[in-house]
């Protein structure tokens, strides 16, 4: 069979689904009715994240008066965007039924590569950023190639990458600089323009919007288009749903998975560049543990742990939940330790809801 077969099958499936939703059937009193709105809502992967976001928003609006300000709104969006960009790529990878535990330290690695090259070789900031992008994509490609060729679970492959990158970040930084923090590159050529692109701020009245927020919205829109309007998006769902069946109808399973790992590398690079140009210095040990936040945001957003299900918008909502919880606790004056409790509770709620929705869909 050919890839064309896959497209035909996917198109037929979508048409069948639409027909099922729009087909009218006679009721007991002779009237026609369509499938209920509630049934269609129950099928949405974002259900748990939307409910959770509404509850958390209402909670902090009630208990934290300062949470209602435009400044708080800006802060929540910024915190959500820096998490959401990588969570989006991690979510796409999870739809393809793989994981990446190296994404947190990969952000730091990308930033360290750029700043080390710029400072020690006296490069233009954009040159260092470009070389860093090549390194980030190479790390993603290597993770993907090892997963698809060795058949070893991506959890183990990327756990090994996490440990190696963590060690390299610290060891190489200490070797070159004699400390765990990198020197300033603010006086390097190209730094101001790079700072504007990756870490700039747009002021709209009293509202300040960081560049990462705009980039995040763009990436979510682009990912949504790719998932639902392109052949590659069909491939991602097919690979995550049943890789062997997808391979049997001509889907390039290995290529799709490697590309998804490289997308995680790109997202890590982008957030790494934001961190570098926003703060001008990188701590070699930072980023550890963020990989779990990315996965949590994706799961809360409706991405299935077993692949084949999820949306880009859902991961964005999951990131917003993180941003609201992280900043809302501060505005409410609560002990920051409550943050992890809320995050864990939301994760549990999302998993239970997603499981219930999956069972509901099977019965239907």
């Amino acid at each position: 069979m050919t890839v064309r077969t896959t497209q035909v099958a996917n198109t037929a499936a979508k048409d069948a689904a639409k027909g099922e939703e729009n087909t009218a059937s006679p009721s007991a009193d002779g009237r026609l009715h369509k499938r209920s709105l509630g049934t269609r809502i129950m099928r949405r992967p974002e259900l748990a994240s939307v409910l959770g976001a509404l509850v958390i928003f209402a909670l902090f609006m009630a208990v934290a008066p300062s949470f209602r300000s435009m400044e708080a709104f800006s802060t929540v969006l910024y915190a959500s965007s820096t998490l959401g960009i990588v969570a989006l790529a991690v979510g796409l990878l999870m739809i393809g039924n793989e994981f990446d535990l190296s994404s947190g330290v990969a952000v730091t690695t990308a930033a360290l590569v750029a700043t080390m090259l710029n400072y020690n070789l006296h490069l233009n900031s954009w040159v260092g950023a470009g070389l860093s992008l090549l390194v980030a994509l190479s790390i993603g490609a290597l993770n993907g190639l090892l997963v698809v060729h060795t058949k070893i679970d991506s959890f183990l492959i990327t756990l090994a990458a996490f440990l190696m990158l963590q060690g390299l970040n610290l060891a190489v930084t200490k070797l070159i600089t004699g400390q765990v923090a990198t020197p300033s590159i603010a006086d390097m050529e190209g730094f101001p323009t790079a700072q504007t692109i990756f870490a700039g701020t747009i002021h709209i009245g009293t509202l300040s919007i960081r560049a990462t927020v705009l980039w995040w919205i763009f990436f979510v829109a682009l990912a949504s288009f790719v998932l639902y309007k392109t052949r590659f998006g069909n491939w991602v769902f097919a690979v995550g749903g049943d890789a062997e069946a997808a391979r049997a109808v001509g889907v390039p399973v290995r290529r799709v998975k490697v590309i998804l790992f490289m997308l995680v590398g790109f997202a890590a690079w982008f957030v790494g560049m934001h961190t570098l140009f926003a703060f001008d210095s990188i701590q070699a040990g930072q980023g550890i543990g963020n990989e779990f936040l990315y996965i949590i945001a994706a799961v809360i957003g409706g991405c299935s742990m077993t692949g084949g299900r999820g949306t880009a918008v859902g991961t964005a909502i999951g990131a917003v939940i993180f941003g609201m919880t992280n900043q809302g606790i501060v505005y409410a004056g609560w002990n920051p330790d409550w943050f992890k409790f809320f995050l864990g509770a939301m994760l549990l709620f999302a998993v239970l809801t997603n499981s219930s929705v999956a069972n509901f869909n099977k019965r239907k």
Side-chain angles (χ1 to χ4, degrees):
M1 295 186 183
T2 65
V3 175
R4 177 63 182 166
T5 308
T6 307
Q7 293 178 283
V8 172
N10 283 328
T11 302
K14 290 178 181 177
D15 291 342
K18 290 179 181 177
E20 183 183 2
E21 289 187 3
N22 295 324
T23 300
S25 58
S27 62
D29 59 1
R31 292 176 300 179
L32 299 179
H33 63 86
K34 296 181 180 179
R35 173 166 291 178
S36 69
L37 176 62
T39 300
R40 294 197 296 272
I41 292 175
M42 278 295 293
R43 291 179 177 273
R44 296 302 304 171
E46 308 96 334
L47 176 63
S49 60
V50 171
L51 294 176
L54 291 174
V55 169
I56 291 177
F57 177 76
L59 172 65
F60 288 117
M61 285 290 285
V63 303
S66 56
F67 186 77
R68 307 164 198 164
S69 67
M70 295 302 291
E71 179 185 356
F73 182 70
S74 300
T75 305
V76 167
L77 282 180
Y78 173 58
S80 302
S81 67
T82 54
L83 176 90
I85 290 173
V86 184
L88 173 62
V90 169
L92 295 179
L93 182 64
M94 290 178 64
I95 295 174
N97 199 22
E98 300 293 351
F99 294 90
D100 192 340
L101 294 180
S102 67
S103 54
V105 292
V107 171
T108 305
T109 300
L112 287 172
V113 169
T115 188
M116 291 291 188
L117 290 174
N118 286 341
Y119 184 81
N120 291 285
L121 300 181
H122 305 287
L123 300 176
N124 183 292
S125 293
W126 284 104
V127 175
L131 294 173
S132 174
L133 175 59
L134 294 179
V135 172
L137 293 176
S138 297
I139 292 172
L142 180 60
N143 282 338
L145 289 170
L146 286 174
V147 168
V148 300
H149 286 291
T150 65
K151 307 295 184 182
I152 297 174
D153 195 282
S154 57
F155 177 90
L156 296 175
I157 294 291
T158 57
L159 176 60
F162 161 79
L163 295 172
M164 289 189 290
L165 290 177
Q166 181 184 357
L168 282 173
N169 289 348
L170 289 167
V172 174
T173 303
K174 287 182 180 178
L175 179 65
I176 295 177
T177 68
Q179 53 187 359
V180 295
T182 61
S184 171
I185 60 167
D187 58 345
M188 293 291 184
E189 184 180 356
F191 186 91
T193 55
Q195 187 177 50
T196 300
I197 296 298
F198 292 107
T201 303
I202 297 175
H203 299 282
I204 304 176
T206 58
L207 180 64
S208 298
I209 300 178
R210 301 294 292 269
T212 50
V213 175
L214 300 178
W215 282 112
W216 176 43
I217 294 172
F218 169 74
F219 290 146
V220 170
L222 179 61
S224 296
F225 175 81
V226 170
L227 279 178
Y228 293 105
K229 300 296 183 180
T230 68
R231 184 196 313 181
F232 182 78
N234 287 335
W235 287 352
V236 172
F237 283 110
V239 167
D242 190 333
E244 292 306 316
R247 185 178 287 108
V249 295
V251 175
V253 175
R254 290 182 175 180
R255 189 198 316 166
V256 169
K257 292 196 174 189
V258 171
I259 290 174
L260 290 174
F261 274 104
M262 293 178 69
L263 286 176
V264 176
F266 171 81
W269 168 81
F270 194 93
V271 175
M273 294 305 97
H274 163 73
T275 305
L276 172 60
F277 292 110
F279 302 105
D280 185 31
S281 180
I282 300 297
Q283 294 286 332
Q286 68 188 64
I288 299 172
N290 286 351
E291 58 279 346
F292 296 110
L293 298 180
Y294 304 143
I295 293 173
I296 289 170
V299 173
I300 290 176
C303 292
S304 172
M305 298 290 289
T306 55
R309 189 169 186 270
T311 66
V313 172
T315 64
I317 299 173
V320 169
I321 288 175
F322 165 87
M324 287 194 298
T325 305
N326 189 34
Q327 299 302 315
I329 288 175
V330 174
Y331 287 121
W334 296 353
N335 189 321
D337 292 336
W338 282 106
F339 169 69
K340 290 186 178 180
F341 170 81
F342 272 96
L343 208 58
M346 276 306 309
L347 176 61
L348 179 61
F349 174 73
V351 171
L352 292 175
T353 303
N354 291 340
S355 177
S356 299
V357 170
N359 292 332
F360 174 82
N361 290 336
K362 287 179 181 178
R363 290 197 299 271
K364 292 294 181 180

